Amino acid sequence: MRLRQIAVVGASLALLCVPAHAEARDISRDTLPANDGWASAGGGTTGGAAADDAHVYTVTDRAGLVRALDGGSDTPKIIKIAGTIDANTDDDGDHLDCADYATDGYSTKKYLAAYDPRTWGSAKPSGPQEEARQASAARQAERVALTVGSHTTLVGLGDRAVLKGASLQLDRADNVIIRNLEVRDAYDCFPVWQPNTGGLGDWKTAYDSIWLRGATHVWIDHVTLSDKGHPDEKEPTYFGRNYLRHDGLLDITNASDLVTVSWSRFADHDKAMLIGNGDTATGDRGRLRVTLHHNEFDSVVQRAPRVRFGQVHLYNNRYVVPADAHDHRYSIGVSTESAIYAENNAFHTPGHIEAADLVKSWNGTALHQSGTLFNGYPVDLLAIHNSYNSGSERDLTADVGWRPTLHTKIDSAEAADRAVARGAGAGRIP
């Protein structure tokens, strides 16, 4: 009995000596599985899996992250983020706020006084306060805009890896993996007033949480993106418009191509995801091939996603509109030459949001949809859209001109809904 007790105590002490993360699977050299969406085409997506030991980093602050990113170099690299990294910090790690970036006499009060439409009119802002705003914005951009180069894997350690205040920018990068990371609050201290936007004018912000610009072979998996910390709905109203601080959560633009976004969570935001940035960007034709599967869009106002030109496979996603939502606009945006193939997605909305509110079209011509659940009931979003559109929108056809072949098992909307609720987002990789 005594020997057995000693053995048990010894085993218990051994367990106490094991670090909490020791049993966690190392995902840093994982590559995208075959046939897992568009990013698996053309040789697949391996990120920094080929990195040598000298280019595997564990970083805990902005300075370490910047060194590891190496100016967006193409050297194969694996960067592991541990804990919370704040991009709004100086070289000593001290936090910077908007007042620290302001320069040349800029202030919000002076800016509002200078460009009040009642006195300034509808001209584009110019002069000392706009110049001061630009100079101040450039100082913030130096800290928060982080370039991710080709052949990079950026991965969070454990279940609480957070990057806040940053805009991860993949500018013409190829072969990038971002996984198991919460990216939140890409907060713009210096929005610009655009008098002629939307007829009434609007505030324009600078930073997407993740921005793909001409990027190819990108896999984004088990990532959580939100405005957590500074929701735009709590910002004041200036010139009759919400003083926005955030742009997109994930924008895929400028002929980006071969992208898979899986098991990720988009939450508490206005414009979630833009695929294709302009109706006249005809260079996007044949590009913008994106797969979105097993993602959750929770408390998102619009663009989940909005698509121009691209062939987008949208399957097994979960949409949640909260009961107190007062500003929901749409979920799926069908725009110029888009070809969205949507299947087996589930939507949850309060009573004042109808199935007809889920699809919006601007110059779109087609939408494939099948297997859709709306508050637990099967619906045909295409037929509903065509029956209830405003008359200014043309009816959409079901023929989008292609059929997806690169995909994992497609579950029923009901099964996917449950799985996504349990498993989407950072810290939930099995």
Side-chain angles (χ1 to χ4, degrees):
M1 178 66 72
R2 181 176 176 82
L3 290 175
R4 183 178 178 182
Q5 288 174 335
I6 292 173
V8 171
V9 171
S12 299
L13 289 173
L15 287 173
L16 290 175
C17 294
V18 176
H21 62 271
E23 293 185 4
R25 181 170 66 88
D26 183 3
I27 63 170
S28 63
R29 292 191 186 269
D30 285 1
T31 61
L32 178 67
N35 298 313
D36 193 348
W38 276 116
S40 65
T45 300
T46 60
D52 58 29
D53 290 344
H55 292 92
V56 178
Y57 310 91
T58 298
V59 299
T60 59
D61 57 17
R62 179 193 175 277
L65 177 58
V66 168
R67 286 193 297 270
L69 287 169
D70 190 27
S73 76
D74 293 344
T75 303
K77 62 184 75 68
I78 294 172
I79 304 172
K80 305 176 185 181
I81 291 181
T84 297
I85 292 178
D86 184 357
N88 286 291
T89 52
D90 63 19
D91 290 341
D92 294 324
D94 294 326
H95 179 73
L96 299 170
D97 60 24
C98 294
D100 294 313
Y101 295 123
T103 189
D104 296 348
Y106 174 87
S107 76
T108 302
K109 183 177 180 180
K110 291 178 182 178
Y111 190 87
L112 294 172
Y115 306 114
D116 188 325
R118 293 170 296 186
T119 54
W120 177 260
S122 61
K124 182 179 178 181
S126 61
Q129 272 299 301
E130 171 57 16
E131 292 168 4
R133 187 204 65 79
Q134 292 179 22
S136 302
R139 293 182 66 181
Q140 185 184 21
E142 289 178 357
R143 311 308 298 179
V144 304
L146 304 177
T147 302
V148 181
S150 299
H151 312 300
T152 297
T153 291
L154 187 62
V155 62
L157 289 179
D159 59 1
R160 291 186 176 86
V162 177
L163 178 59
K164 67 177 183 178
S167 174
L168 294 176
Q169 302 189 1
L170 283 62
D171 188 1
R172 293 181 293 278
D174 177 65
N175 192 31
V176 175
I177 294 173
I178 303 174
R179 301 184 75 199
N180 196 44
L181 182 63
E182 180 180 352
V183 185
R184 70 183 189 217
D185 194 23
Y187 186 88
D188 187 352
C189 288
F190 308 102
V192 60
W193 174 243
Q194 296 184 322
N196 295 313
T197 300
L200 300 175
D202 211 348
W203 294 99
K204 173 65 176 174
T205 57
Y207 307 119
D208 302 316
S209 297
I210 302 178
W211 184 14
L212 277 59
R213 186 170 55 218
T216 53
H217 291 105
V218 178
W219 180 29
I220 296 171
D221 177 68
H222 282 93
V223 169
T224 296
L225 302 106
S226 76
D227 296 346
K228 185 175 181 180
H230 293 100
D232 278 339
E233 64 181 17
K234 293 187 177 180
E235 293 291 334
T237 296
Y238 296 134
F239 307 155
R241 307 294 285 174
N242 184 222
Y243 192 51
L244 295 174
R245 298 291 194 160
H246 306 87
D247 199 3
L249 290 177
L250 169 60
D251 279 10
I252 303 170
T253 66
N254 297 82
S256 293
D257 199 20
L258 304 178
V259 178
T260 296
V261 183
S262 56
W263 294 99
S264 292
R265 187 169 186 269
F266 302 81
D268 305 315
H269 188 80
D270 185 354
K271 304 175 180 72
M273 185 185 303
L274 185 66
I275 301 177
N277 56 309
D279 292 343
T280 60
T282 55
D284 287 344
R285 287 175 179 150
R287 314 278 289 183
L288 297 174
R289 291 173 290 180
V290 179
T291 298
L292 304 174
H293 74 82
H294 294 94
N295 302 293
E296 181 174 62
F297 297 90
D298 185 0
S299 304
V300 167
V301 175
Q302 57 185 314
R303 298 185 183 177
R306 179 177 177 179
V307 182
R308 296 179 176 95
F309 295 104
Q311 292 183 347
V312 176
H313 191 196
L314 186 70
Y315 76 89
N316 281 174
N317 299 286
R318 168 183 163 90
Y319 294 79
V320 180
V321 181
D324 60 351
H326 61 276
D327 55 358
H328 178 267
R329 294 186 60 188
Y330 66 91
S331 294
I332 302 172
V334 184
S335 297
T336 302
E337 296 186 35
S338 63
I340 302 171
Y341 200 101
E343 49 187 337
N344 297 18
N345 298 293
F347 295 82
H348 301 268
T349 76
H352 65 281
I353 304 294
E354 303 289 346
D357 299 321
L358 301 180
V359 175
K360 175 73 175 172
S361 174
W362 301 262
N363 300 318
T365 59
L367 169 68
H368 171 93
Q369 79 81 47
S370 60
T372 304
L373 281 185
F374 176 71
N375 290 331
Y377 294 91
V379 296
D380 185 334
L381 288 182
L382 178 62
I384 290 171
H385 171 80
N386 288 344
S387 296
Y388 288 90
N389 74 53
S390 65
S392 61
E393 303 170 11
R394 74 184 80 178
D395 283 353
L396 301 173
T397 70
D399 184 7
V400 294
W402 73 291
R403 185 180 182 90
T405 58
L406 293 170
H407 55 78
T408 54
K409 180 179 181 290
I410 298 178
D411 296 314
S412 69
E414 183 178 15
D417 185 41
R418 292 193 300 268
V420 171
R422 291 192 305 267
R428 293 182 171 184
I429 294 181

